[in-house]
Structures are given as C-alpha cells and as structure tokens.
Amino acid sequence: MSSLANDTDAAASTPEKSKSLETVSVIGQGETRQVQRVTSKDVAVLPPGTSIQKVLNRMPGVNVQSNDAFGANEESETISLRGFNGQRLGYTLDGVPLGDNAYGNYNGLNISRALIAENFGGAELAEGIGSLGTASTSNLGGAIQYYSDDPATTFGGRIAQTVGTDQNRRTYVRVDTGDYHGFSMYVSGIRATADMWARPNLPTSTKQYNLKAVYEFSGGRITGFADTSRTSQADYAYLSKSGMARGLGWDWNLYAPDWQRALNAARGIFTGGVNNINDAYYQSRALRNDNLYYLAGDFNPADTVTLHAQVYHHEDEGQGHWWAPQQVSYPGTPAAIPISIRSTNYKINRTGAVASVAWDLQGHHLEAGLWYEKNYHDVQRNFYWITGPINDDRFLTDPNRLLFNQRYVITTKQAYLQDSFKLLDDKLSVDVGVKSPHTLMTAQEAPGIKVEAPVANGRLSASKALLPQVGLGYQLGGGQELFASYAENIAAYQGGGASGPLLVTQASYNATLGNLKPEQSRTLEGGYRISQREFDASAAVYHVKFDNRLLSLNPCPSIQQGTTPACTTRFYNVGSVTSKGAEFTFIWRPVAHLEWYNSASFNRSTYDNNYVQNGVVVPTRGRTTVDTPNRMFASEISWVYGRWNVSLRGKYTESRFYTYTNDQGFGGYTAFDLGAGYDFGPVGFARDVRLSLNITNLTDKRYASNLTAFTNNDPQGTVLAFHASAPRQSFLTLDLKL
C-alpha cells in the first residue's frame, strides 16, 4: 500500500477521495508504488458518457480497446496492462469490489453499469501493485480504484443532451439537494440509445440511475450509494483475417435483416465473399440488469484512530443471445429450420462487508482490515426454437433445450495488516505489510433439472496464509523522489460465467483434483518522480513473474483423447510468463492555459514454457504474450482560455499477436480524438450553459480493435479473432446547470 505519511495521502486513503483527487498528484507523488490518477477534468476530449475504463487509455502501460466510440459495448471492450489481460486486474468503486471485469458475469460488473459516467469523481491506477486493502481476488497485475463524485453543497440540477452519429442519443439529468446540516444527496439518471455503426444498425439502449447521500458530522461521515442499470446491447460480429482478404471489409457485420441469407448460410449456401458457416450469423445481443448498493461509515473516535466499515449488495441477471446456425429449431417437423437462439444466462447475488482500522502510534501508521463476501452465482446455457425472425431485445424464457445449469457458492475472506513509518529525518518512507486471501468456490448441477450436457459438481480453493508487500520512498528534495516496491499476489479461480475450471465435465474435473494451482505473480518495480510548477514527470521500471498460467487443453493425440483421465480436455497450469519494461510520463504546463500530457510504454512479455496440445508440442517459449503491444505512446494537449476549451489526444499502439506462437497478429496504428467546447455562462434560468463537440477516431483510421479469441496458431487466418474499430463519429452536447 502507498505511504500514508503525508496529509494528502492520508486523505486519499478514505472514501472521501472523490473530494481530494483533483488536488493530489497525477503521477503519484508520495507513493511507494507506481500509481497514476485521472480526474473528471481529464475526460473532456471524449464524448460525455464514455466508459470510465476507456479514459484510462492515455496512461502508461494501459491498452484499452473497444469497437464503439463510448467504450460501452462490453463484448468489444478490453483492457490490458503490462502483459496482463483485464481478468487479471482488480477493480473497485468507492471500495466496493467490482469483480474481475469478465464479460461473462460471475462476481461483479463493469464500471459502466456501476456508475454513470457524468458522476465520475476520479480513478487511481496502480500499474503493477495494488493497495493491500483492495477488495479483489484477481489483481495479479495491478488494480483500478474508481470513485464517484460527492453531492454538491448547494441546491441545483443539471441536464445534458448529447446527439451524434448513428442515432446516438443520450440524456442525463441530476438533482442535488445541497448541504442541509451536514446532509447532502443527489439523484441522477440517464437514457441512452444508439444504432450499431455497421449494418444492420441494430439498436442498443441503456437506462441507469445513481443515488448518493452523505452525512458529515464532527465524528465522521456516513455514505450511501445506489445504482440501478438496465442495458441491452446489440453485439457486433467477430471478424477473421481471411474474411478481410475475401473482401468482407471493416464494416462486415451480421446478416440481419436478411433472414433468407442467414437460412441459406445455415444450409451451407454461401454468397458475397462468405465461404463458411462462421463468417456471420443472423444477430447477437447482450442483456444485463444490475442493482448495486452500499452503506459506508468513516469514524474518528480519537485523533489518532480512524475506523471504516462498509456493507454492500449486488444483484445481476444477464443473458447473451446468439442466433446459432445449424442448431435446428423444431427438428423433425414442418416448422424445422437450421437456426435457433442460444442463450447463456447469468445470475449473481452477492453480499459483502469491508472493514478497516488505522492507528497512528509513535511515528507508525498501523492499518488492518478485513473483507468478506458470499456470492451465489448461476450459469446456464439454453436453446430457444424459432420459426423466423423475432425481437430478442428481452429476456427469453421457457427454453426448448437445456444444455447445462450450474450453481456456484463463492466465499471470499481476506485480511491485511500494514505498517507505514519514516526514517532518515523523514526522507525515507517505508510501507511493509501482508495480506491473507482465501476463496472457496463450490459448484453443482442444479438439482431436479434434466440437461443434455451436465457439468461438474466440485470445489476449488485458492488461499495463501501470507502474501508480503513492501514499499520504499526516498525524498531527494526539490520535488524529486525515488520509489521501489515488491509484492506477491494470487488469483482466485474464475466462476462459470467466465468458463472457469469448474464449468467442465465431471470426468474433466475429477482429473484435475490435486493438480491445479492458483495463478500467482511476483512484481518488483521502482522509479523516479519529479514535480515542479511547470511540469511533472515520472519514470518506472518493472520485472514481473507470472506463474501457474491456466489454459484449457487436451495434451493427448486425437486417437487417445478421452480414453483415460489423463487425456481429458481440462484446465492445466502451463508455466510462467516474464514481463519487464519501462513507463514514462511527462506533463508540461508552459503557460497558464496550456497542458501537454505525454506517456510512453516499453514492454517485453514472453512465455517461459512450451506445452503439449493434441499430442503436439506448441512452441510458445520465448514468444510474445497475446494482445501485448511492445510499445505505446500517448499524447494529449489541452488548451483552456476564457470560455473556450480544446483537447486533442493521439495514441500509437504497436503490433499485437492473437496466436500463442506469434504466427498471426495485427500491425500498429495511431488514432486521434478531438474535443472542444464553449461556456456561455448564465443564460436565462440556467446558471451555466456549455456546448461541446467531440469527434472520435478523427482521421477515420480503421484497425483491429479488441482481440476476441486466442489460439495456438492460425496459418490460414480463419480464426474469428477481432472486432473492427468504429469509424469516425461526431457528438454534440448541450449541458445546462440549473
């Protein structure tokens, strides 16, 4: 955890951080880890409502990909950091765990569904080593802590309307009560709709509400928060390199509304550059309903003691629809057609608590905390028979075929203890601590339900008695400092929504008993920071060893597969990954109205081992890890003068591979975003009126955005491996404060 020896960091350690993020150092001054921050003022270059996760893309080491301008389509949004994919990072909102960011829900939700973007108070990214108190079981490669903003101290309201390309419409409304004897609250909501930018322009919609209430008194602060989100997202088709070579192009998508062409393809009759069943399908959709609540208290029973207690509850219901070709509806009847709707259904019902105590004692800042969560998670896969096109923008019921229905109970317990102190006339800051995570996951087929492909009953445990973490910071004077830190982490096994190691056959699970180990990491990093009136700069280097990497595979030749437990397709630990690199940040403020932000990342992440699949050695040793650019450069220049503001952001992302053997991938690209606005000041009944224009992908650069599938090799380029980037899009927003 970071040093808490100065006042800024001490304030930042509490949920009141949304108040102080505007004033703390963007480059993490005073921290003993590599930490970077973004605040609400950093989002002006992107359209209002853009995913807060996408805002992080300018930071060193971060690679955020999405094929829609807002970064809202979860199937096409990914994040990676220092060679770790998004499911190996940790995420919290105001201290509440958001799970591992998996598209297949099982232990959390995406930040876009937890917090309305306009209510964003700031974010802190620990590129390699998260705080010991972070409530996460997946933060092998770093942690992202998001914060909601606080209610305003004066009564007022806000209305913002965005219109844009592809029928984008977004309405945001918020009312603040103002401060009344220490109590303040806001209620806000959005309604957002848009069409896909590629044919068939299917609609996407979101309804979301946030409520936050704060009561501050002489002895502390009580905070309550509620989020309700209802999303329906039309998902884009996956693309292949061979399809691009056959002329399908960047805008290739779904067959809808051409039902006859979809039927023909399902019968093996292909036209217009399509030559296989996987090039397209009729349509696809994701539905997610979420409710998230927390109640937190921060108390100061003595000048040297701080207490924090928080309880939370999250419920989720989701379905992912895919119009599956060659899965027959009403077989053996006159109504039979070679398409049915496959649905993967998710449910989450989790409740948890986080508590900590901090005590300043004779030059030591002692901190201890606990996290407990009980999560009931269901996942099932069904098929629904149809006679033709229907509107699937709704939850489907009464399936005709049930493939599997698995229920999970996931219990998480984690404790941590840390001491922070200073030496050498307060020049040297020392953080030293340990945490002890324990996650038990049990799964069983839902009793009394007949399914076609039953999956395992079993349990997996990921625990560690003590995981150490130590950090050092040395003040050189003149705004300069050195820092170094080391940490060890393990990850819990993933649940069924993310196709984890329990979502397998009983034989496969039985064969893994006693053989699997939780993934783990060891991170060493260090660096230099300098903060001056005209500029801030930081440089960091790191070395990470990621052990016990998990893959699902069968090591035996095809003629032996399934004949013995050793030849069952299942999850295996296939070795380790070594990552090393450097990250640089330079923020220049030459004059009062101008800021120029720059970041550069250099990374080398490689697999340390080969493995065997289908009886053949897969030569991955020394190969670059998938979806990991070796170099990235980001630059953003922001100009604010009088009532005008203009921001231009560009980022270069180097080539990435989607095969473990590095025989296939995509070249590097550079993309730009532009934002500009004018503040009219008071107009009529409005206290303030602003008009803004945002243009994403300014130069209309087309490229492979998120990589959707990874494989050993792809010599013919047939793997459906990526989504296409969105074309240039424009958005106009009128924002009124009342």
Side-chain angles (χ1 to χ4, degrees):
M1 195 172 181
S2 60
S3 172
L4 300 176
N6 61 56
D7 293 339
T8 298
D9 287 340
S13 69
T14 76
E16 295 185 47
K17 191 163 189 174
S18 57
K19 291 182 176 181
S20 59
L21 271 177
E22 294 288 350
T23 59
V24 299
S25 168
V26 171
I27 60 171
Q29 199 80 9
E31 302 281 353
T32 61
R33 302 167 289 130
Q34 167 72 323
V35 172
Q36 304 251 326
R37 301 183 178 98
V38 295
T39 65
S40 56
K41 70 181 180 62
D42 298 317
V43 306
V45 72
L46 298 172
T50 296
S51 165
I52 303 168
Q53 181 167 287
K54 192 172 181 180
V55 173
L56 303 175
N57 196 39
R58 78 172 188 175
M59 304 175 83
V62 180
N63 178 30
V64 179
Q65 298 288 340
S66 176
N67 81 333
D68 77 298
F70 287 92
N73 184 275
E74 292 185 37
E75 188 182 44
S76 71
E77 187 186 36
T78 57
I79 182 171
S80 62
L81 178 63
R82 293 184 178 179
F84 286 98
N85 66 28
Q87 284 73 59
R88 294 182 173 107
L89 308 178
Y91 309 84
T92 63
L93 169 63
D94 296 342
V96 174
L98 300 180
D100 75 350
N101 208 39
Y103 171 67
N105 290 4
Y106 75 97
N107 72 341
L109 70 166
N110 186 281
I111 183 61
S112 294
R113 286 185 276 131
L115 181 67
I116 295 174
E118 286 87 347
N119 297 333
F120 173 54
E124 180 178 282
L125 169 68
E127 275 95 335
I129 299 175
S131 160
L132 275 174
T134 301
S136 170
T137 59
S138 56
N139 57 332
L140 289 176
I144 304 168
Q145 295 176 281
Y146 298 105
Y147 297 93
S148 61
D149 68 346
D150 278 348
T153 57
T154 57
F155 175 79
R158 181 181 173 191
I159 300 174
Q161 179 64 53
T162 299
V163 297
T165 309
D166 301 307
Q167 298 301 311
N168 269 278
R169 301 291 185 269
R170 179 183 176 87
T171 304
Y172 169 74
V173 178
R174 170 167 159 168
V175 177
D176 282 85
T177 64
D179 181 83
Y180 185 76
H181 301 299
F183 176 82
S184 57
M185 182 179 73
Y186 65 74
V187 179
S188 62
I190 63 160
R191 165 69 171 166
T193 59
D195 290 347
M196 304 176 92
W197 49 260
R199 189 191 60 82
N201 310 119
L202 295 173
T204 289
S205 65
T206 298
K207 294 180 182 178
Q208 190 173 7
Y209 304 94
N210 284 171
L211 179 150
K212 187 173 183 180
V214 175
Y215 177 57
E216 297 190 79
F217 53 99
S218 59
R221 163 185 168 112
I222 297 174
T223 306
F225 178 86
D227 166 71
T228 296
S229 173
R230 302 291 183 264
T231 64
S232 174
Q233 298 181 344
D235 288 330
Y236 293 79
Y238 304 115
L239 305 180
S240 68
K241 296 188 78 173
S242 67
M244 298 295 288
R246 284 181 270 116
L248 295 181
W250 294 108
D251 293 331
W252 177 250
N253 198 13
L254 306 168
Y255 286 132
D258 193 339
W259 178 247
Q260 189 58 51
R261 190 178 184 189
L263 283 176
N264 290 342
R267 292 171 177 141
I269 304 170
F270 306 117
T271 57
V274 174
N275 67 5
N276 66 85
I277 196 64
N278 296 318
D279 268 340
Y281 35 90
Y282 185 69
Q283 62 187 40
S284 179
R285 181 168 292 277
L287 301 156
R288 299 286 189 271
N289 290 350
D290 288 276
N291 299 305
L292 176 68
Y293 316 96
Y294 77 73
L295 181 66
D298 293 274
F299 309 100
N300 306 105
D303 290 341
T304 59
V305 179
T306 301
L307 300 176
H308 172 69
Q310 185 172 32
V311 293
Y312 62 90
H313 179 72
H314 171 221
E315 297 176 358
D316 169 84
E317 182 179 11
Q319 286 190 1
H321 299 165
W322 176 51
W323 292 57
Q326 298 183 344
Q327 294 290 337
V328 179
S329 290
Y330 299 103
T333 73
I337 58 173
I339 298 175
S340 60
I341 300 178
R342 191 192 77 180
S343 174
T344 305
N345 298 0
Y346 314 93
K347 285 187 178 180
I348 298 172
N349 189 317
R350 61 188 181 109
T351 301
V354 178
S356 64
V357 57
W359 185 20
D360 293 314
L361 178 66
Q362 296 180 352
H364 292 261
H365 181 86
L366 303 173
E367 189 172 328
L370 297 169
W371 169 39
Y372 175 84
E373 179 180 286
K374 179 77 77 171
N375 178 12
Y376 298 93
H377 161 57
D378 295 356
V379 59
Q380 58 182 274
R381 180 161 291 167
N382 305 317
F383 282 92
Y384 301 84
W385 290 346
I386 53 177
T387 57
I390 66 169
N391 178 13
D392 72 336
D393 189 7
R394 59 185 175 85
F395 282 79
L396 302 178
T397 58
D398 300 322
N400 299 95
R401 294 174 55 200
L402 288 73
L403 262 65
F404 58 79
N405 190 332
Q406 196 177 36
R407 296 180 178 176
Y408 287 76
V409 179
I410 306 172
T411 304
T412 301
K413 303 173 185 177
Q414 183 167 286
Y416 75 95
L417 177 65
Q418 177 177 282
D419 183 16
S420 299
F421 55 93
K422 289 194 172 187
L423 300 170
L424 303 179
D425 296 326
D426 290 345
K427 290 183 178 181
L428 178 65
S429 299
V430 181
D431 299 329
V432 58
V434 294
K435 69 177 179 180
S436 181
H438 302 272
T439 302
L440 177 63
M441 178 186 300
T442 63
Q444 69 175 84
E445 277 283 355
I449 300 176
K450 186 177 180 180
V451 295
E452 296 180 17
V455 289
N457 296 325
R459 57 190 290 164
L460 290 171
S461 175
S463 299
K464 202 73 171 180
L466 294 176
L467 290 169
Q469 184 166 313
V470 61
L472 302 173
Y474 188 78
Q475 299 294 327
L476 298 171
Q480 302 178 80
E481 65 182 20
L482 300 173
F483 67 93
S485 54
Y486 173 80
E488 297 180 9
N489 280 293
I490 68 168
Y493 297 104
Q494 288 193 309
S499 300
L502 279 168
L503 194 69
V504 295
T505 66
Q506 191 67 51
S508 176
Y509 166 75
N510 292 342
T512 66
L513 288 177
N515 295 322
L516 286 186
K517 296 180 181 179
E519 295 181 330
Q520 65 181 41
S521 66
R522 292 167 287 162
T523 301
L524 177 65
E525 63 182 20
Y528 166 83
R529 302 186 186 102
I530 180 171
S531 183
Q532 303 291 310
R533 185 178 64 84
E534 298 87 2
F535 71 92
D536 294 319
S538 71
V541 295
Y542 58 87
H543 185 281
V544 182
K545 181 68 75 170
F546 166 31
D547 295 315
N548 301 326
R549 186 170 67 99
L550 283 171
L551 271 184
S552 177
L553 53 89
N554 192 313
C556 300
S558 58
I559 59 173
Q560 298 177 5
Q561 290 181 14
T563 59
T564 69
C567 287
T568 302
T569 297
R570 65 179 191 268
F571 280 81
Y572 289 82
N573 293 115
V574 294
S576 61
V577 173
T578 299
S579 296
K580 48 192 175 182
E583 298 161 348
F584 303 92
T585 306
F586 182 74
I587 307 170
W588 186 34
R589 297 175 292 271
V591 295
H593 308 291
L594 187 68
E595 180 174 290
W596 188 12
Y597 176 99
N598 298 274
S599 69
S601 310
F602 302 88
N603 174 270
R604 176 66 172 161
S605 297
T606 56
Y607 301 112
D608 296 334
N609 310 89
N610 300 328
Y611 56 87
V612 178
Q613 184 165 15
N614 298 330
V616 177
V617 174
V618 181
T620 56
R621 183 175 180 178
R623 310 290 187 180
T624 299
T625 56
V626 293
D627 198 20
T628 305
N630 289 340
R631 296 184 299 173
M632 294 184 290
F633 304 100
S635 185
E636 180 177 335
I637 188 164
S638 301
W639 178 73
V640 179
Y641 188 82
R643 297 181 182 273
W644 290 96
N645 69 277
V646 180
S647 299
L648 176 66
R649 175 185 297 182
K651 181 168 183 178
Y652 169 73
T653 303
E654 202 174 50
S655 57
R656 297 166 290 150
F657 297 105
Y658 67 86
T659 60
Y660 300 121
T661 57
N662 295 173
D663 73 318
Q664 287 283 15
F666 301 94
Y669 69 93
T670 302
F672 295 91
D673 298 307
L674 173 69
Y678 184 78
D679 188 342
F680 292 91
V683 177
F685 61 87
R687 291 189 296 113
D688 188 60
V689 176
R690 295 173 182 263
L691 186 66
S692 61
L693 172 68
N694 297 89
I695 303 175
T696 57
N697 195 3
L698 181 65
T699 60
D700 202 26
K701 174 69 175 177
R702 307 307 299 276
Y703 55 91
S705 58
N706 67 306
L707 305 186
T708 61
F710 306 117
T711 185
N712 293 338
N713 50 60
D714 186 24
Q716 306 303 318
T718 58
V719 173
L720 299 171
F722 68 99
H723 281 120
S725 66
R728 178 172 53 239
Q729 295 178 291
S730 302
F731 305 89
L732 189 66
T733 302
L734 182 64
D735 193 335
L736 287 74
K737 292 184 179 179
L738 309 175

